[in-house]
Amino acid sequence: MSYIRFRKHYLHIPYLVLGALEFVVLYAIFTFLSPLLSFAGVGYPSVDTNILSASLFALILSCGTLAMGGYLSMVHESVSALFFRTLVAYCFVGGIGLKLLYLVLPSANPGSTNLFWAALLASLVVILLRLAFLKIVDSEQLVRRVVIFGAGDFAASLLDEYERNMRALGVRIIGCIADNPNGAVDADKLLPTPYDFYQFCKQNRVSEIVIAQQERRRNEGGWLPVPDLMECKLRGIAITNGIDFYERELKKAKLDMVHPSWIVFSEGFKASKTRAFTKRSLDLLISLTLLAVMLPFVILTAIAVFLETGRPILYSQTRVGMLGKEFRIYKFRSMRQDAEKDGKARWASANDNRVTRVGAFIRNTRLDELPQIYNVIKGEMSIVGPRPERPEFVSELKEKIPFYDTRHYVKPGLMGWAQLKYPYGASVEDARGKLEYDLYYSKNHSLMMDFLIMIQTVEVILLGKGVR
């Protein structure tokens, strides 16, 4: 097993191991540099202070890596891009985090003006560690070898997702076993049907069989070798439902395979009064703190909007919230005043000519969303949750997309899982893609997952992802 499930969220063990190794390396680098910095006249801290400082240095820089998406991106990026991303994570995001931390805990400040060099050295060492780690985890001795039972559209989409994403997770799909003569999987991906499933798995070092049948009824031509699968399960080979595999590896639900029984009998989709109270308390604490910290930016943004296009500074829209209840959402106006002069709702498009110059900047930096802190304080929104849509779009999407209404059983949020994982949505097909992530969040949401989303949203803001 290469994953664990903590608070309903799947965490892949290879990345947890890498994170732990990086923490140890960062701690060691800071500890190693401390006596060197003391020779430069900084002054060597006490043992207790040095342990605290080294621990906080390692923790903040590790959070910087998480915030900049350093783990998942390292498989797809070149070494130079990986170095740049790590440098931003350590020297910019981590540097700001350390400066803020030292304002709150001055005793943890080692008094060094050379934190930049420590972060630079850490970047070099950690990149080498990641490259070596990738070689080891992706080796044939350690990868998790998987066989897909099924050759329909679902199996084909799993193979496509594997080529684009799953290689990063130490998974090796060796092929598909057809359950139906009319399949959608390419012939070179098909495996001959084994006479003895267990011996086949043993000979090919298969650790998991994924059941990805499009149709299981025999009168449709499909078949399921239940006795063989039972033997494999009882002898230590994991048998996994395709939709569960998809959810576990890709952190989203495969909408084409979702059915009512999956929602009814799944261990997720649980409403908890205790969690709701805790989440509401954290929403108030975070939103009030955010308002205090961002107040200067709120004032400057309001002035910039007024100077460019005059009043109104704020723009409000009706959105659909929890349980379908409508409310008014507030933003700084980023489009011309006549953006929808005919009163007809439109999706935003790439390079939308309705966006003003100030509007383009505040949309890229998400400053236009700051007035929604008011919606969070009122309780209409949460800090984390699915983004609320306009009623006009919701009516259309409910007709065209199955289970679209399930996203309204969770309070909408300023930031969300779909916003992290999917580009800007401006069509029905985009809404389907985002719903797969919203379904995963609705099923598995927890305070820990909210915390991870908040940290990773830093990358979205800094790199201007998902903006039109």
Side-chain angles (χ1 to χ4, degrees):
M1 184 176 69
S2 64
Y3 65 90
I4 59 173
R5 198 174 189 196
F6 181 73
R7 305 297 296 173
K8 297 190 291 185
H9 188 57
Y10 292 102
L11 301 173
H12 288 274
I13 292 176
Y15 289 132
L16 293 178
V17 171
L18 179 59
L21 287 174
E22 288 188 9
F23 183 90
V24 172
V25 167
L26 293 170
Y27 184 96
I29 287 174
F30 190 93
T31 304
F32 170 75
L33 286 180
S34 292
L36 298 181
L37 296 178
S38 68
F39 294 144
V42 175
Y44 191 73
S46 65
V47 174
D48 290 341
T49 302
N50 192 50
I51 292 174
L52 176 63
S53 298
S55 299
L56 291 175
F57 175 82
L59 178 63
I60 295 299
L61 264 58
S62 295
C63 288
T65 298
L66 188 62
M68 289 303 297
Y71 295 117
L72 291 178
S73 63
M74 66 184 180
V75 177
H76 309 290
E77 293 184 336
S78 64
V79 176
S80 58
L82 179 61
F83 177 73
F84 174 76
R85 184 184 290 270
T86 305
L87 205 60
V88 171
Y90 284 179
C91 297
F92 183 72
V93 178
I96 292 175
L98 286 170
K99 291 295 183 184
L100 294 175
L101 184 67
Y102 293 154
L103 290 176
V104 179
L105 293 173
S107 61
N109 190 341
S112 172
T113 57
N114 295 286
L115 283 175
F116 173 79
W117 299 110
L120 183 61
L121 177 60
S123 299
L124 294 170
V125 175
V126 163
I127 286 173
L128 293 176
L129 172 65
R130 289 179 188 171
L131 294 175
F133 186 84
L134 280 176
K135 290 284 187 183
I136 296 171
V137 170
D138 201 44
S139 66
E140 288 299 325
Q141 288 72 30
L142 292 181
V143 293
R144 183 159 39 93
R145 294 169 65 83
V146 175
V147 166
I148 296 176
F149 184 82
D153 292 333
F154 185 26
S157 70
L158 270 179
L159 286 173
D160 180 60
E161 290 280 9
Y162 162 71
E163 292 296 335
R164 289 188 286 120
N165 298 302
M166 287 190 215
R167 284 183 179 273
L169 305 174
V171 175
R172 188 78 77 246
I173 296 180
I174 65 173
C176 298
I177 298 174
D179 65 319
N180 193 305
N182 302 314
V185 175
D186 293 338
D188 61 331
K189 301 292 185 182
L190 292 176
L191 301 171
T193 303
Y195 175 77
D196 186 318
F197 271 71
Y198 175 72
Q199 288 301 322
F200 169 82
C201 292
K202 186 177 178 181
Q203 291 169 7
N204 292 277
R205 295 185 291 110
V206 172
S207 58
E208 185 172 18
I209 300 174
V210 176
I211 309 301
Q213 290 180 292
Q214 204 73 20
E215 178 56 68
R216 294 187 184 178
R217 290 175 296 181
R218 291 182 181 274
N219 59 5
E220 294 288 340
W223 65 286
L224 186 66
V226 176
D228 293 288
L229 295 176
M230 284 179 60
E231 181 183 9
C232 290
K233 178 71 176 285
L234 293 171
R235 300 185 72 167
I237 297 170
I239 309 296
T240 307
N241 184 288
I243 191 171
D244 294 332
F245 179 81
Y246 197 91
E247 176 189 354
R248 186 186 79 206
E249 300 297 337
L250 297 169
K251 308 297 188 296
K252 61 180 179 178
K254 181 61 176 173
L255 192 58
D256 294 339
M257 298 300 292
V258 169
H259 40 78
S261 62
W262 178 74
I263 296 176
V264 171
F265 295 110
S266 123
E267 61 180 88
F269 298 104
K270 290 182 179 178
S272 166
K273 291 183 178 179
T274 302
R275 184 189 179 279
F277 174 79
T278 305
K279 186 176 173 69
R280 176 61 181 152
S281 301
L282 288 175
D283 282 342
L284 286 173
L285 176 63
I286 294 172
S287 58
L288 292 172
T289 303
L290 194 60
L291 181 61
V293 171
M294 300 300 294
L295 187 59
F297 296 95
V298 171
I299 296 171
L300 290 173
T301 302
I303 293 172
V305 172
F306 176 76
L307 290 177
E308 184 180 35
T309 54
R311 295 180 179 177
I313 295 171
L314 294 179
Y315 175 66
S316 67
Q317 279 182 340
T318 301
R319 296 290 176 100
V320 178
M322 191 171 182
L323 301 179
K325 183 179 179 181
E326 295 183 2
F327 67 99
R328 302 293 294 181
I329 197 174
Y330 297 93
K331 294 183 177 184
F332 282 117
R333 186 166 53 80
S334 60
M335 290 187 174
R336 301 192 312 264
Q337 296 177 359
D338 62 347
E340 291 182 353
K341 57 185 178 182
D342 58 358
K344 186 177 180 180
R346 295 183 179 86
W347 298 98
S349 59
N351 302 314
D352 200 315
N353 60 11
R354 296 175 296 168
V355 178
T356 64
R357 286 177 299 175
V358 170
F361 175 77
I362 64 177
R363 285 164 80 97
N364 275 310
T365 55
R366 298 302 200 277
L367 291 172
D368 64 322
E369 310 280 358
L370 288 177
Q372 291 167 42
I373 295 175
Y374 171 71
N375 294 110
V376 177
I377 294 173
K378 281 185 66 178
E380 297 166 331
M381 292 177 64
S382 179
I383 294 294
V384 178
R387 287 296 293 166
E389 272 296 355
R390 301 173 68 173
E392 301 91 334
F393 295 149
V394 169
S395 299
E396 176 188 4
L397 296 172
K398 284 169 64 176
E399 292 179 1
K400 296 181 177 180
I401 304 176
F403 304 104
Y404 187 81
D405 220 20
T406 55
R407 71 196 304 273
H408 297 132
Y409 287 86
V410 178
K411 189 179 291 187
L414 282 173
M415 55 192 81
W417 189 239
Q419 280 62 51
L420 284 179
K421 300 295 184 179
Y422 198 89
Y424 188 91
S427 66
V428 173
E429 193 56 37
D430 285 337
R432 285 178 63 91
K434 291 175 67 176
L435 180 60
E436 293 189 332
Y437 290 104
D438 285 334
L439 271 173
Y440 177 88
Y441 178 80
S442 299
K443 180 176 182 285
N444 301 298
H445 64 96
S446 65
L447 296 179
M448 188 206 73
M449 189 175 180
D450 287 354
F451 176 70
L452 290 174
I453 291 172
M454 284 187 276
I455 290 180
Q456 293 177 71
T457 299
V458 172
E459 180 191 9
V460 175
I461 296 172
L462 289 181
L463 302 183
K465 288 186 172 182
V467 176
R468 288 188 181 179

